[in-house]
Amino acid sequence: AARSCATSTVMGVWAHYDDDLIFSNPGLQAAITAGDCVRTLFVTASDAGRGSDYYHSRELGILRAYNLMRGSTTTWTTESMTLLSGAHLTMFTPQDDPRLSIATLRLPDGGIHAKGFTSTGNVGIPSLLQGTISSIAPVDGGPALTADSIRQSIAELASAWGASDVDTLIPTASALANGDHPDHGAAGTFTRQALLASGYPVDHIHYFVGYPSKGLPANVSGDTLTRKVDIYRTYAREDVEIACADNTACLARRSFGDWLQRSYAKTDAELAIP
C-alpha cells in the first residue's frame, strides 16, 4: 500500500463515499490544487444494504468527482491487496496522477440507526466499536475484521502513505457528534484511537463536523460554494438516492443543502473527550 510523495500528504478517513465531498470540502479541493498528495480511505462500502451495483455506482461517482477536482478524466487503475493487518483493501489510482489514491475496506453500512441492514446481517462498524459483535466481514467477500484490525489498518496506511495530516469525522464520544450518523462517529473513533496509539502528532489530526454542522453558521459561499456543489453533483449523478439535476436542486435538498454550505474542522482538544 506504500505510496511515496515529494510533497505533503493529506490522508482522509471517512465512513461513506461522499463524506469527504460534503464535510471536508473546500479543503479537499484546495489540497489537490496546491499539488499535495491526497490519499483517501473509506471504511464502509456505503452500500445501504442494496448490494454491489449500488456501492459500485457510488465508487464510480467518487472517482468522477475526484476527476473534476484534479482536471482529468484519465482511467484509474484498480489494485486489490492484503494489508499487514490482514484487511483486504481495494485501491484506485489515476494512471496519470500518482498523487491521488482512493481506497476502501468495503465494510457494511451500519445505517442511520446503527442497526445495519438485513442483507448484510444487521451489522455495522458502530456494533464493532461497541463490542456487541467481535468481527465484521466486508461486503465483497474479504476476510472479517476486528476492531483491532481496523485500527491497525488505519495506522498502517498512515505510515505507508507518509501522512502529513489526517482528516476524519468527529468521534462518537464527543458531544460534537450528537445527532451525527453512527458510522461517522465510529470511523472517527477508530481513526483517533489508531493514530494516538501509534504516536501520530495530535495537532495534525483534523476532525470534521458531520450532520450537526447544519446547526452552525454557513461558512462556504460564492464561487467556492459553486465549485463545491459542482463536485458533489458530479458524484451524486451516480447515486440514485441523492442525484440532483443542477446546483440549485442540490442546495434545495433537505439537509444536504445545509451541509454543503458548511465545513468545520475541530482539533483534538475541541473534541473534549476525557
Side-chain angles (χ1 to χ4, degrees), residues 117-260:
F117 299 88
T118 302
S119 61
T120 51
N122 297 110
V123 296
I125 55 174
S127 302
L128 194 64
L129 180 65
Q130 294 161 7
T132 57
I133 59 173
S134 61
S135 65
I136 186 170
V139 298
D140 63 0
L145 302 181
T146 63
D148 280 344
S149 55
I150 291 177
R151 287 187 283 263
Q152 290 165 10
S153 299
I154 294 170
E156 179 180 339
L157 290 172
S159 176
W161 292 343
S164 310
D165 290 272
V166 177
D167 296 338
T168 190
L169 293 151
I170 302 289
T172 302
S174 173
L176 295 170
N178 291 345
D180 204 356
H181 193 298
D183 283 357
H184 293 176
T189 301
F190 282 128
T191 302
R192 182 175 186 265
Q193 291 173 342
L195 296 180
L196 296 187
S198 68
Y200 190 85
V202 67
D203 56 333
H204 285 257
I205 311 173
H206 315 285
Y207 303 92
F208 283 81
V209 182
Y211 289 178
S213 64
K214 67 183 294 183
L216 300 173
N219 62 353
V220 181
S221 60
D223 292 342
T224 302
L225 176 60
T226 298
R227 178 66 172 176
K228 180 176 180 176
V229 180
D230 284 342
I231 295 162
Y232 166 78
R233 180 166 49 84
T234 298
Y235 156 79
R237 288 194 192 105
E238 311 304 326
D239 187 338
V240 296
E241 288 297 310
I242 57 172
C244 38
D246 53 34
N247 285 18
T248 300
C250 290
L251 289 170
R253 287 192 64 91
R254 182 181 178 183
S255 295
F256 285 89
D258 294 319
W259 297 328
L260 288 168

